[in-house]
Amino acid sequence: MATAPKIESTFPRVGRILQQDAAAPVIQYEAPLVPEHVAKFSKVIGYSGQSVPPTFYTFFRWGEFEWLRRMGIPLENIVHTEQVYTYHSEIDPGVVLIAETEVSRVRERRTLKMITMATRLKFGDRLIVTSETSFLATIKGAEK
């Protein structure tokens, strides 16, 4: 049986966590828009715009994986069910955004836990992108 990859190898961190308080309701971290990374990504997907491609922000979802780790939910126990992005403002590469990820809803039904998380990416006071992600997780030890 193959072992599940570690979060860092599945979705490597770009940036760093800005606060280490495990009890904080929000995980805050840096999200650098490195021009070389944005350029390589743009070339691969065929994006010719000058700003950051909308799909590039997927790289900054690792706050969600940190929440799953904190909740004790292994990656092999989850199914990603929904991802919705809302774009508020374009921005050029070369800046460092601040990302904030929080668990916005958790519901349990029999052997499943339904988890919704929200992430906001900001540059100063300017909101650039928000995303809402939903997962289904099997509950360890739950009766079937």
Side-chain angles (χ1 to χ4, degrees):
M1 174 189 252
T3 59
K6 292 184 178 182
I7 291 170
E8 289 79 13
S9 63
T10 303
F11 211 91
R13 288 185 179 172
V14 179
R16 63 185 173 93
I17 291 180
L18 297 175
Q19 45 78 8
Q20 296 295 328
D21 181 4
V26 174
I27 295 174
Q28 188 179 63
Y29 50 99
E30 289 181 335
L33 299 176
V34 179
E36 296 80 20
H37 296 170
V38 174
K40 285 180 186 178
F41 184 83
S42 295
K43 183 177 179 180
V44 167
I45 66 167
Y47 180 76
S48 60
Q50 296 300 309
S51 63
V52 176
T55 51
F56 188 79
Y57 298 107
T58 299
F59 285 111
F60 304 112
R61 291 184 47 222
W62 59 266
E64 298 167 11
F65 296 100
E66 178 65 18
W67 269 117
L68 292 170
R69 186 189 66 74
R70 289 182 182 185
M71 297 168 80
I73 301 172
L75 288 180
E76 64 266 20
N77 288 19
I78 66 163
V79 174
H80 181 256
T81 57
E82 187 173 21
Q83 182 76 45
V84 177
Y85 289 95
T86 304
Y87 302 97
H88 305 280
S89 179
E90 288 188 355
I91 195 156
D92 294 327
V95 301
V96 177
L97 302 180
I98 301 300
E100 298 174 335
T101 301
E102 65 186 335
V103 176
S104 52
R105 186 175 187 187
V106 177
R107 296 177 294 155
E108 289 187 22
R109 299 284 191 268
R110 298 185 185 171
T111 62
L112 294 176
K113 188 177 279 194
M114 294 163 264
I115 304 163
T116 303
M117 297 183 198
T119 299
R120 293 172 299 283
L121 290 124
K122 298 178 183 180
F123 182 64
D125 291 335
R126 190 168 123 206
L127 186 59
I128 306 301
V129 175
T130 55
S131 73
E132 185 172 272
T133 305
S134 297
F135 299 100
L136 283 178
T138 56
I139 300 171
K140 188 176 181 177
E143 292 182 26
K144 294 185 178 183

